[in-house]
Amino acid sequence: MTQTVLVTDDDLEIRDVIRIYLQNEGYRVHEAENGAQALELIGREAVDLIILDVMMPVMDGIKACFKIREMTSAPIIMLSAKSEDIDKITGLTTGADDYVAKPFNPLELIARVRAQLRRQTLAAVSGGKGTDKSVIEIEGLIIDKKRHLVTARGKEISLTPLEFSILELMASHRGQVFNIQKIYQSVWKEDKFLSDNTVMVHIRNIREKIEDNPREPQYIKTVWGVGYKIE
């Protein structure tokens, strides 16, 4: 089944380059010039992944990402001419799954697209399989793996697909310490580890959502110098 990618960027040349590479990989491609057009298209078309530029007229990528997350859990890859950590953190905090700084190598972007779609497909296929309990309960935190639903102290928590996968990974292996590289390889399904703080940002986002006090987390514990675990 052909997968559909939405490319959102106000630069026609960039859209053309990305479209050509995606089509060469066999993907169906939709295009939008700004966040407002992207939202309109997502409202009427099924989209498997969104590539979203940060700086755009009418509606920028940050605002669009917030609204897209209310409509679909499809992976979002943010593009930005800025490579500072604060821009990366902002993009990931809004619900994006990955971040690529401009100028970028189109082949690397395509590799990121493949990785995100592969991870999503594997999650869908394995959702109801295996002998693991489909519902994990940890002191007021309930993770329903089949329904991709999380509640904390009776309140439903909205997590992005990657946030859910990270939480599920650690909750399914209570007591095991995961370093950042292991989390990246297990969740992103990529052997190549990117030397950035992507995983740390996702962990911080999860804590903000599920913890009463993220500075003194009850669930996701930091093992200093090693990684993270759920006891």
Side-chain angles (χ1 to χ4, degrees):
M1 183 177 178
T2 303
Q3 293 174 299
T4 302
V5 178
L6 171 59
V7 180
T8 308
D9 197 304
D10 60 321
D11 190 319
L12 176 60
E13 292 185 4
I14 291 177
R15 292 204 312 273
D16 284 344
V17 169
I18 297 174
R19 173 176 49 78
I20 290 170
Y21 275 86
L22 287 171
Q23 288 177 337
N24 285 342
E25 291 292 320
Y27 298 111
R28 180 186 297 111
V29 180
H30 292 312
E31 297 181 41
E33 296 180 3
N34 55 62
Q37 285 188 8
L39 290 171
E40 181 182 351
L41 194 148
I42 292 169
R44 66 173 192 268
E45 300 279 352
V47 174
D48 297 295
L49 181 142
I50 300 110
I51 296 174
L52 192 63
D53 187 35
V54 172
M55 299 299 294
M56 295 182 293
V58 183
M59 180 185 291
D60 64 36
I62 300 298
K63 292 179 181 177
C65 190
F66 271 119
K67 293 184 177 295
I68 289 170
R69 271 292 162 254
E70 297 174 359
M71 304 168 66
T72 177
S73 60
I76 297 174
I77 299 177
M78 302 288 286
L79 301 178
S80 176
K82 301 177 181 179
S83 59
E84 291 83 357
D85 283 346
I86 187 62
D87 297 290
K88 181 176 298 184
I89 290 170
T90 300
L92 294 174
T93 302
T94 60
D97 297 279
D98 204 351
Y99 186 104
V100 177
K102 294 180 178 178
F104 57 85
N105 182 332
L107 292 175
E108 179 185 352
L109 177 61
I110 299 304
R112 301 284 189 97
V113 169
R114 284 199 302 265
Q116 289 295 331
L117 290 173
R118 182 169 64 250
R119 181 194 59 77
Q120 187 180 50
T121 300
L122 288 171
V125 169
S126 62
K129 296 182 179 180
T131 58
D132 291 344
K133 291 172 56 180
S134 62
V135 177
I136 303 172
E137 297 186 35
I138 305 172
E139 299 175 3
L141 179 69
I142 301 175
I143 304 165
D144 189 327
K145 296 194 282 187
K146 286 185 178 179
R147 298 168 61 199
H148 268 238
L149 180 66
V150 174
T151 58
R153 294 167 295 280
K155 179 182 177 182
E156 185 172 331
I157 306 297
S158 177
L159 298 181
T160 69
L162 276 176
E163 289 168 358
F164 184 92
S165 296
I166 293 170
L167 182 62
E168 179 188 358
L169 172 69
M170 290 191 288
S172 298
H173 300 83
R174 293 180 65 176
Q176 180 175 336
V177 180
F178 290 88
N179 62 29
I180 290 177
Q181 183 172 357
K182 180 62 176 177
I183 293 173
Y184 186 87
Q185 291 173 341
S186 298
V187 173
W188 275 257
K189 309 298 182 184
E190 286 286 299
D191 290 331
K192 179 183 177 183
F193 176 61
L194 302 177
S195 307
D196 58 33
N197 63 357
T198 298
V199 173
M200 295 172 62
V201 172
H202 282 293
I203 293 288
R204 191 190 70 176
N205 291 344
I206 297 169
R207 281 174 167 166
E208 291 286 344
K209 294 177 180 180
I210 68 172
E211 302 282 2
D212 274 337
N213 182 1
R215 294 181 180 275
E216 297 180 7
Q218 173 186 356
Y219 301 113
I220 301 179
K221 305 286 189 179
T222 299
V223 180
W224 294 108
V226 183
Y228 303 94
K229 69 175 180 177
I230 292 180
E231 296 178 339

